[in-house]
Amino acid sequence: MADAPRPSPESFPEDLEDAILALKEERNAVLLAHYYQESEVQDLADFVGDSLALAQAATKVDRDVIAFCGVHFMAETAKILNPDRIVVVPDLEAGCSLADGCPPDEFRAFKKEHEGAKVLTYINCSAEVKAESDLICTSSNAVKMAQSLGDEPFIFAPDRHLARWVANQLGRDDLIVWPGACIVHEQFSAKRLAQLRVKHPDAEVLAHPECDQAVLDQADFIASTTGIIDRAVNSEAKTLIIATEDGVFHSIEQRAPEKTLIQAPGIDESCACNRCPYMRLNTLEKLYLCLRDLKPQVEVPEEIRVRALRPIERMLELSA
Ligand code: 13P
Ligand code: SF4
């Protein structure tokens, strides 16, 4: 789908934030944002959350339009839950390495190799892969969803690190794992984290379960973005080393400004690889344009939507 034509920068209103809020009312839109968005985008949102909270929020929308500031699979989930509402995103190219690394055709072939196995799929995948699944999970409910499938081996896709973490939590070694990974969480360096911990012996290490095992081995607390934020705010520790995208710093700084937050180091010191390149495609300018033009819109073919809805609804029921 082609993006809307972009006006030159000087054609943007001087106070972009006010213009976005005015457009939001004019369009009768709700603005949902993930914690990995730029702080100025989070500040305009009606609701900021992790993947599960955003899916839950999407079931309660009473506006005509959902402007989704996150990545494509999150907006797609909102559309699956709200087929009659318009769902727009600031940038249609905001994908995800996990979703991109699990093409539906290859996933169907993988399923055939393991005929009869139930399929638990991380929400970070396309609608078409969701449609092939029995149950969806997010990082905050993955263990609970896995438990609900019983004792038989099941397929877990598409994040091998989350799969390994879930298997460890359950003491299982029989999960059938699709070998995907998140380019952001995989780049944290266990070696450099160990060096940083020596410099900050009192710091608590908080990590997202998409990280590599050698990083998780050094974590005091492992959770979704919401879990990491709540822990950072409520922990006794004054200094927190955080192994996830640093968009979460904004909420922590608002709720606990006295805390010292340190980003877990990456393998490559010279890049800002801890920032999700997809999430960060969304800017205030693009948000303004998507509300003004009501495009780009997220669409899901009805046949896929209906099949993808079932495992999402099952997850929402089990998470209530
Ligand atoms: P959360 O489930 O913590 O929101 O994680 C989403 C995500 O994309 C992590 O990289
Ligand atoms: Fe996907 Fe990783 Fe970005 Fe999350 S941080 S949206 S898993 S690429």
Side-chain angles (χ1 to χ4, degrees):
M1 209 184 302
D3 269 3
R6 296 291 183 247
S8 58
E10 59 273 19
S11 66
F12 286 109
E14 212 166 287
D15 194 332
L16 207 47
E17 274 97 340
D18 279 353
I20 289 168
L21 291 175
L23 270 176
K24 194 164 75 75
E25 290 315 305
E26 212 175 290
R27 299 296 189 208
N28 194 26
V30 65
L31 177 48
L32 306 182
H34 189 266
Y35 288 121
Y36 293 165
Q37 294 296 282
E38 301 286 348
S39 4
E40 64 258 33
V41 172
Q42 292 189 41
D43 287 344
L44 289 181
D46 296 291
F47 183 84
V48 186
D50 68 359
S51 304
L52 177 62
L54 285 165
Q56 288 167 328
T59 65
K60 298 184 185 109
V61 171
D62 57 3
R63 300 250 167 157
D64 298 327
V65 175
I66 300 173
F68 207 112
C69 294
V71 287
H72 189 261
F73 75 79
M74 296 177 176
E76 213 173 38
T77 302
K79 182 67 182 180
I80 291 166
L81 291 161
N82 292 277
D84 299 329
R85 295 183 211 282
I86 293 171
V87 178
V88 288
V89 288
D91 194 321
L92 209 49
E93 298 298 314
C96 168
S97 64
L98 280 167
D100 294 350
C102 189
D105 283 347
E106 290 175 36
F107 187 63
R108 276 188 282 271
F110 183 76
K111 266 180 68 180
K112 259 209 185 109
E113 285 169 29
H114 305 282
E115 201 103 48
K118 287 249 163 57
V119 179
L120 174 59
T121 308
Y122 191 29
I123 198 163
N124 297 39
C125 65
S126 65
E128 214 174 327
V129 168
K130 287 186 177 72
E132 297 293 333
S133 308
D134 295 296
L135 183 60
I136 302 301
C137 70
T138 74
S139 61
S140 60
N141 63 17
V143 173
K144 189 175 178 187
M145 295 305 111
Q147 272 167 331
S148 81
L149 291 182
D151 296 334
E152 292 298 311
F154 59 86
I155 293 174
F156 190 104
D159 185 7
R160 67 192 173 95
H161 297 297
L162 182 63
R164 186 200 52 242
W165 181 70
V166 168
N168 288 344
Q169 296 297 298
L170 298 176
R172 293 179 66 159
D173 60 3
D174 59 349
L175 270 52
I176 305 157
V177 177
W178 178 275
C182 160
I183 52 167
V184 177
H185 289 86
E186 224 185 18
Q187 62 77 46
F188 290 117
S189 160
K191 188 173 159 205
R192 293 186 63 222
L193 175 58
Q195 290 162 349
L196 189 65
R197 286 171 59 228
V198 173
K199 275 200 215 156
H200 301 277
D202 296 330
E204 198 169 75
V205 179
L206 315 181
H208 197 280
E210 288 176 13
C211 294
D212 188 77
Q213 187 61 46
V215 169
L216 294 188
D217 284 345
Q218 299 181 56
D220 299 295
F221 188 80
I222 299 166
S224 76
T225 49
T226 297
I228 287 174
I229 291 166
D230 289 344
R231 175 69 180 197
V233 170
N234 297 317
S235 165
E236 301 269 291
K238 302 232 170 335
T239 304
L240 292 315
I241 299 174
I242 299 184
T244 193
E245 223 269 10
D246 69 357
V248 300
F249 283 29
H250 185 54
S251 271
I252 304 169
E253 281 161 357
Q254 284 176 323
R255 290 170 59 193
E258 73 286 1
K259 298 282 168 104
T260 301
L261 308 179
I262 305 175
Q263 176 72 79
I267 293 162
D268 179 355
E269 285 174 70
S270 67
C271 87
C273 302
N274 58 306
R275 297 244 156 111
C276 175
Y278 307 103
M279 289 274 185
R280 303 294 178 138
L281 285 174
N282 296 330
T283 60
L284 278 186
E285 286 78 10
K286 291 181 199 169
L287 174 57
Y288 169 81
L289 292 174
C290 87
L291 279 165
R292 188 194 69 182
D293 303 335
L294 286 186
K295 58 186 179 185
Q297 290 187 20
V298 173
E299 301 290 355
V300 181
E302 185 59 9
E303 179 268 330
I304 292 173
R305 189 193 73 79
V306 171
R307 287 196 295 128
L309 179 62
R310 258 178 299 157
I312 296 173
E313 282 187 332
R314 198 160 161 229
M315 171 189 77
L316 292 170
E317 279 160 28
L318 290 169
S319 306

